[in-house]
Amino acid sequence: MVLQAEEGLTTPSVRVLVATAVPAEREAVARAFPEAGAQVRLPGVSLVRTGAGHDLLAGGVGPALAAASTATALTAAALDGSPYGLVVSAGIGGGFLPDAPVGSLVVADAITVADLGAETADGFLPVTELGFGTVTHRPPPSLVRGVSAATGARPGTVLTVSTVTGTAARAAELRSRHPQALAEGMEGFGVAEAAAAHGVPVLEIRAVSNPVGPRDRAAWRIGDALAALTEGFGKLAPALESWNPHDQ
């Protein structure tokens, strides 16, 4: 894979780290690549390396473990002299109806942590209003547009939560505070924090397996969401090839 750098010029292939939560998501991404993946063991994590310049990581569930695993992989690559040029947080997640129905694909134009802050008598205060930290990372807009065009993924805010939403009231509260939210997951913000610490751009892609709201496991469509994730990654190459990593 070659990315355009300047008009008429090219840069060497950019290495991509794809961070999922669990092996089933990693395997769904791997199915998008015809090349057989080789396992690479690092201290604390293991990667599946494809022939397309993608390393696939099943980093664990939740923002803390996702951040730690992603940081481990990023550090190992930097010390090896072959740093990653892009980190992609990928997986399945809940979608806010009607904008992100089950089986659809979402690409984050904002990766926002929804529950990092403080509860007060007047409502929730994000950590930034307490005077420290950050709550949102923004992927490169040109890359988000390219991914949306190539895959049909709808762009919008993807929320990171430590506790999955399980009630209509909680879903309504989140949508009230984040009107552009399309989906929620448990790892994106952690992956983005690790990427930001290394100065590497980040992207988040979610395939919707269930509506955000009351938990109804009979209505979940995990297989359909994993298939959508595979299909989406199969269409990513043109977006990555046309993206200028210096245009951020």
Side-chain angles (χ1 to χ4, degrees):
M1 177 175 59
V2 176
L3 304 186
Q4 300 298 319
E6 305 289 345
E7 193 169 306
L9 300 175
T10 60
T11 64
S13 296
V14 169
R15 296 186 69 205
V16 180
L17 175 65
V18 181
T20 68
V22 297
E25 293 168 321
R26 181 180 62 189
E27 291 160 9
V29 175
R31 285 193 289 272
F33 303 101
E35 305 88 349
Q39 191 170 70
V40 178
R41 295 192 179 277
L42 302 173
V45 299
S46 64
L47 307 170
V48 171
R49 179 159 293 161
T50 76
H54 291 64
D55 284 355
L56 314 182
L57 168 69
V61 174
L65 187 52
S69 299
T70 302
T72 296
L74 287 166
T75 300
L79 291 175
D80 191 47
S82 53
Y84 294 104
L86 176 67
V87 178
V88 182
S89 176
I92 64 176
F96 287 94
L97 298 177
D99 300 315
V102 172
S104 67
L105 205 62
V106 171
V107 57
D109 58 17
I111 301 169
T112 296
V113 60
D115 51 12
L116 182 60
E119 291 287 353
T120 75
D122 298 319
F124 179 81
L125 286 180
V127 70
T128 47
E129 294 190 26
L130 302 177
F132 51 90
T134 186
V135 295
T136 295
H137 292 280
R138 297 193 179 276
S142 61
L143 182 56
V144 172
R145 290 192 297 270
V147 168
S148 178
T151 66
R154 183 164 183 171
T157 300
V158 177
L159 302 179
T160 299
V161 294
S162 295
T163 302
V164 173
T165 300
T167 67
R170 173 66 170 163
E173 177 196 348
L174 288 176
R175 199 66 185 275
S176 175
R177 288 199 280 118
H178 305 282
Q180 303 305 313
L182 293 181
E184 74 169 21
M186 300 183 74
E187 294 78 33
F189 186 78
V191 172
E193 287 276 81
H198 282 259
V200 180
V202 67
L203 189 70
E204 183 171 9
I205 298 173
R206 290 278 166 184
V208 177
S209 59
N210 57 277
V212 175
R215 289 175 66 80
D216 178 10
R217 296 198 62 147
W220 293 2
R221 297 292 181 265
I222 292 176
D224 292 343
L226 292 173
L229 195 62
T230 301
E231 182 179 359
F233 267 85
K235 297 176 180 178
L236 271 185
L240 296 178
E241 289 168 1
S242 62
W243 173 52
N244 181 351
H246 304 290
D247 182 21
Q248 297 183 45

